[in-house]
Amino acid sequence: DIRSLAECLDQIDGGIDVDYEVLIANNNPKHRLHIEEVTTKAKKKPQVIHSDKNIGFGSAQNILARKARAKVFFILNPDVTQISIEADTIKLLESGSHQGIIAPQVFDRSGNVERWSSGDEVTPLSTIQKKLLAPKKRKHLNKTNVGWVTGAAFFITKDAYVNVGGFDESFFLYFEDVDLCRRVREMDYEVCIDPSCSVTHLAGTSKDSDESQDAYYAQAQKYYFTKYYGRFVGAMMSQLRAIQKKY
């Protein structure tokens, strides 16, 4: 959504009190002129990388990462607003600490903690449990280590990003953040939520329809479980999802 992008750029300028550069990946050729119009009005002109087609979230982020010069990347969806970031959080990552990823507390439009903004490591068992029991919205009062954070908004050191090879481009949409966080933790970096930083995620402005979202999610989930637990488990979890959707 172009309006969301314009607001996001304004929020970045007012919410981040360190020197920074902005890089934008445009996966929709139809938005090229509109994005150029928005970015020319930004206080700090972004570098925009245009794609001829939608190459997926992870692939686009990998292109930006190869061009970025900073020691710390702030991965950010254009539908994120009310950005409040502590400079100390960025300095901690720049210092070479063992923390590879730090995410802000993510709120939804209503001011509640976004349900799917973080969680424990995703396993077949944890996924089945969440189907039976609705996940709790956890508001973190202190810096807390977690299994994964949403790709909507998080900081990651360049070292961690490069060492794990960036996003797995086999994920088109969904689970690329869960997978990245898992690989970052496997490299002995920490993944955590820092509640001194916060954003609001409007959610849903970059997706086409509920039907296409569900198809992307099912494909990504099957690939994730196959990648870490083998083909049998991947197929089983895919079947369980299909049965759950049917009934």
Side-chain angles (χ1 to χ4, degrees):
D1 187 286
I2 302 302
R3 288 173 297 181
S4 296
L5 174 61
E7 184 175 355
C8 182
L9 290 173
D10 286 341
Q11 289 288 319
I12 290 172
D13 186 70
I16 300 178
D17 190 25
V18 295
D19 188 32
Y20 64 91
E21 61 177 345
V22 179
L23 293 88
I24 297 174
N26 172 29
N27 271 348
N28 189 336
K30 295 180 180 179
H31 288 167
R32 182 171 188 137
L33 293 177
H34 297 295
I35 288 176
E36 289 177 355
E37 180 181 350
V38 168
T39 55
T40 55
K41 298 177 181 178
K43 293 180 180 178
K44 177 166 285 194
K45 185 172 175 57
Q47 179 182 354
V48 183
I49 310 300
H50 297 281
S51 297
D52 295 330
K53 61 179 181 179
N54 190 346
I55 60 176
F57 178 84
S59 296
Q61 296 302 327
N62 286 344
I63 290 173
L64 297 184
R66 288 192 289 269
K67 294 182 176 294
R69 297 170 294 174
K71 293 181 179 179
V72 176
F73 302 155
F74 189 19
I75 310 294
L76 192 65
N77 274 13
D79 57 353
V80 167
T81 185
Q82 297 181 13
I83 300 169
S84 177
I85 301 299
E86 292 291 329
D88 286 346
T89 299
I90 302 173
K91 291 176 182 177
L92 175 63
L93 288 165
E94 287 179 330
S95 69
S97 72
H98 55 287
Q99 291 179 318
I101 290 178
I102 298 180
Q105 185 78 75
V106 181
F107 297 98
D108 61 22
R109 294 170 182 263
S110 301
N112 300 313
V113 174
E114 189 171 62
R115 177 170 292 176
W116 302 108
S117 58
S118 66
D120 299 324
E121 181 172 302
V122 176
T123 66
L125 179 59
S126 71
T127 301
I128 293 171
Q129 289 174 332
K130 285 183 179 179
K131 294 296 181 184
L132 301 175
L133 301 171
K136 296 180 180 180
K137 300 178 181 180
R138 296 185 295 177
K139 185 172 183 179
H140 299 280
L141 301 178
N142 300 296
K143 191 176 291 183
T144 306
N145 287 357
V146 294
W148 62 272
V149 297
T150 176
F154 69 90
F155 291 99
I156 181 170
T157 64
K158 184 173 185 176
D159 282 347
Y161 197 98
V162 170
N163 286 340
V164 302
F167 282 100
D168 181 341
E169 297 185 8
S170 294
F171 293 100
F172 181 79
L173 183 65
Y174 297 115
F175 277 87
E176 66 278 280
D177 42 13
V178 176
D179 171 75
L180 179 72
C181 289
R182 182 167 182 153
R183 288 184 287 118
V184 165
R185 288 187 295 104
E186 287 176 349
M187 294 285 290
D188 293 327
Y189 295 102
E190 290 185 357
V191 176
C192 73
I193 300 288
D194 183 354
S196 70
C197 304
S198 64
V199 301
T200 295
H201 186 204
L202 302 180
T205 60
S206 63
K207 304 177 183 67
D208 299 326
S209 66
D210 289 341
E211 185 176 342
S212 63
Q213 286 182 57
D214 186 67
Y216 287 135
Y217 190 93
Q219 180 183 23
Q221 185 187 63
K222 182 178 181 180
Y223 174 68
Y224 173 84
F225 285 123
T226 300
K227 178 177 180 178
Y228 290 103
Y229 301 98
R231 291 184 179 180
F232 175 78
V233 174
M236 180 187 72
M237 296 302 294
S238 181
Q239 286 298 315
L240 287 176
R241 177 174 174 79
I243 292 170
Q244 185 259 337
K245 290 293 293 182
K246 183 176 181 180
Y247 294 101

